[in-house]
Amino acid sequence: MMVSPAIALGVNLKVLADSMDESAAQVIPGAILGDYRDLATVREFAKDCDVITFDHEHVPTGLIRTLEAEGVRIQPSADALIHAQDKSYLRKALEPSLSPRWAIAASAEEVHDFGAPLIVKAIRGGYDGRGVWNCVTVEEAIELVVQLGSVLLEEVVAFECEVAVLVARSQHGQAAVWAVTETVQADGMCNETITPAPNLTAELCGRAQQIALEIAGLVNLVGVMAVEMFVIGDRLLVNELAMRPHNSGHWTIDGSITSQFEQHLRAILDLPLGATDLLAPFAVMANVVGTEKTNLYRPYLHVFARDPGLKVHQYGKTVRPGRKLGHVTVIGSNASDLRQRAAHAADYISGVIDE
Ligand code: ADP
């Protein structure tokens, strides 16, 4: 999704991919195949690049630090990225009032001290709810500690909704935020976003944006980041960071003057950032999540005919049940109407509905 703005800006993208099946490798000519965990591979790849960035957060920070010390420009930096990779770093960096009650535990005793019910999280490597366990009893949590070693424990937050604030920051320290996005999750995975978050007061939205800007400065972000938060009454708690263009910001491609992908390029190239205004009062995005249906093109006939305002994005991924394969976006002035249109199209393309 970064290719379109890169073409428009005349920026050449080069990609290091695990295989030619990867989405980016399919659309960026001359993809280099190699392992992003291998220092020599990334060092060689970096030789032709002015700046390096990533579309997932699993690149080892040790490798990034080594290349940074050799003068390779990598954005965001290892020191920033660690706050998204390692949930304990973020928790330690935030002032306590911005986090759910939390602790690191490596023993049964520490879990007992924390008490149940509780959420157990893998400190590293989780995504889309994998690596997050809702434990009703202390015993369930202790089993996870035995399996995983050190884990993050959190109180179960009875939130009213979840939001994400997308923020961009350049090396010069210029920063920009988009309107607050409500993220609707199913089974720990985001399946819909509504922007601006319809149930938040203007005051709370302003505070959420302020928190995101402060975290961007605190971690010395360069690039785009999503700050995920829980909303409980008029309180906001930070859940986690995604330090890259993120699913909660996909609506910006069709719904904002500057998309998160263009903004990420501007930020890492240290160019002035673009305007983040919405192009309509609301933008709604729904993810296309795989089912058994494998032909994702035939549904175009129906959804395009039904809704000429709909925008569809496919990621070129092999269909697997439960896998995010693409998304749809609609913009307009009636949020509930937009939600129905987006959900219908996403469900029709994925095969959840077939009428
Ligand atoms: P991942 O790294 O998989 O994205 P998250 O930390 O975002 O993991 O958790 C996934 C989902 O689990 C969240 O979107 C939220 O719905 C739920 N969740 C996470 N932490 C808590 C918590 N402390 N209390 C209640 N629900 C939580």
Side-chain angles (χ1 to χ4, degrees):
M1 287 178 266
M2 209 171 282
V3 171
S4 298
I7 291 170
L9 297 177
V11 171
N12 289 321
L13 288 186
K14 207 178 133 182
V15 66
L16 174 69
D18 274 336
S19 83
M20 289 308 287
D21 294 337
E22 285 193 2
S23 306
Q26 292 176 39
V27 293
I28 298 176
I32 310 283
L33 295 186
D35 185 351
Y36 61 84
R37 288 161 298 207
D38 180 64
L39 178 61
T41 302
V42 183
R43 184 186 279 131
E44 186 57 32
F45 175 80
K47 278 188 183 153
D48 297 335
C49 301
D50 296 309
V51 58
I52 300 216
T53 189
F54 18 80
D55 70 356
H56 63 64
E57 289 146 354
H58 309 304
V59 183
T61 32
L63 180 153
I64 298 176
R65 280 187 214 289
T66 305
L67 293 176
E68 282 171 346
E70 293 171 11
V72 179
R73 201 168 141 206
I74 304 184
Q75 301 293 10
S77 68
D79 284 347
L81 183 65
I82 191 81
H83 296 88
Q85 284 185 333
D86 184 315
K87 292 184 198 262
S88 70
Y89 263 81
L90 174 68
R91 289 278 167 253
K92 286 175 197 157
L94 289 179
E95 64 163 274
S97 67
L98 285 178
S99 286
R101 187 171 68 85
W102 66 277
I104 304 291
S107 70
E109 201 187 347
E110 285 163 313
V111 180
H112 271 293
D113 286 350
F114 194 84
L118 75 167
I119 304 271
V120 175
K121 294 186 178 181
I123 291 175
R124 282 170 170 267
Y127 69 98
D128 284 348
R130 298 175 181 99
V132 175
W133 297 271
N134 205 328
C135 296
V136 178
T137 64
V138 164
E139 286 66 33
E140 288 169 56
I142 291 173
E143 249 177 67
L144 289 163
V145 171
V146 171
Q147 275 172 39
L148 301 170
S150 202
V151 293
L152 177 66
L153 311 181
E154 284 180 6
E155 68 174 298
V156 182
V157 178
F159 53 79
E160 277 116 49
C161 67
E162 295 185 66
V163 296
V165 183
L166 206 63
V167 55
R169 189 173 172 276
S170 68
Q171 209 170 344
H172 265 82
Q174 188 195 0
V177 274
W178 283 263
V180 178
T181 294
E182 178 171 346
T183 59
V184 183
Q185 330 280 324
D187 301 325
M189 187 166 102
C190 171
N191 65 359
E192 185 193 12
T193 71
I194 309 136
T195 315
N199 300 315
L200 266 63
T201 60
E203 194 273 324
L204 205 53
C205 284
R207 222 170 341 122
Q209 289 174 312
Q210 195 55 40
I211 290 170
L213 286 165
E214 277 167 21
I215 296 175
L218 179 77
V219 304
N220 213 357
L221 171 74
V222 176
V224 162
M225 168 172 85
V227 182
E228 298 180 17
M229 301 181 201
F230 300 132
V231 180
I232 319 109
D234 66 354
R235 282 177 68 218
L236 294 165
L237 295 178
V238 175
N239 178 28
E240 65 167 356
L241 308 180
M243 209 168 280
R244 59 194 152 84
H246 183 245
N247 195 184
S248 61
H250 283 354
W251 66 270
T252 60
I253 301 172
D254 302 304
S256 172
I257 290 184
T258 309
S259 80
Q260 59 171 350
F261 296 99
E262 175 176 346
Q263 200 79 301
H264 188 72
L265 288 173
R266 291 186 187 218
I268 65 173
L269 293 167
D270 208 11
L271 294 167
L273 301 177
T276 53
D277 309 55
L278 277 133
L279 297 173
F282 288 99
V284 172
M285 183 241 39
N287 280 321
V288 176
V289 181
T291 65
E292 302 300 332
K293 179 165 158 181
T294 50
N295 186 337
L296 300 184
Y297 291 97
R298 179 144 184 86
Y300 283 1
L301 282 171
H302 171 83
V303 296
F304 289 172
R306 189 178 197 264
D307 191 343
L310 183 81
K311 293 292 170 191
V312 175
H313 300 259
Q314 277 205 44
Y315 308 154
K317 289 181 178 174
T318 310
V319 176
R320 269 204 312 264
R323 189 178 201 199
K324 282 181 193 162
L325 305 172
H327 71 268
V328 301
T329 309
V330 277
I331 65 173
S333 49
N334 181 326
S336 63
D337 172 56
L338 294 173
R339 291 185 69 179
Q340 279 177 15
R341 284 166 56 194
H344 175 88
D347 286 347
Y348 192 87
I349 295 169
S350 66
V352 170
I353 50 173
D354 195 5
E355 96 277 347

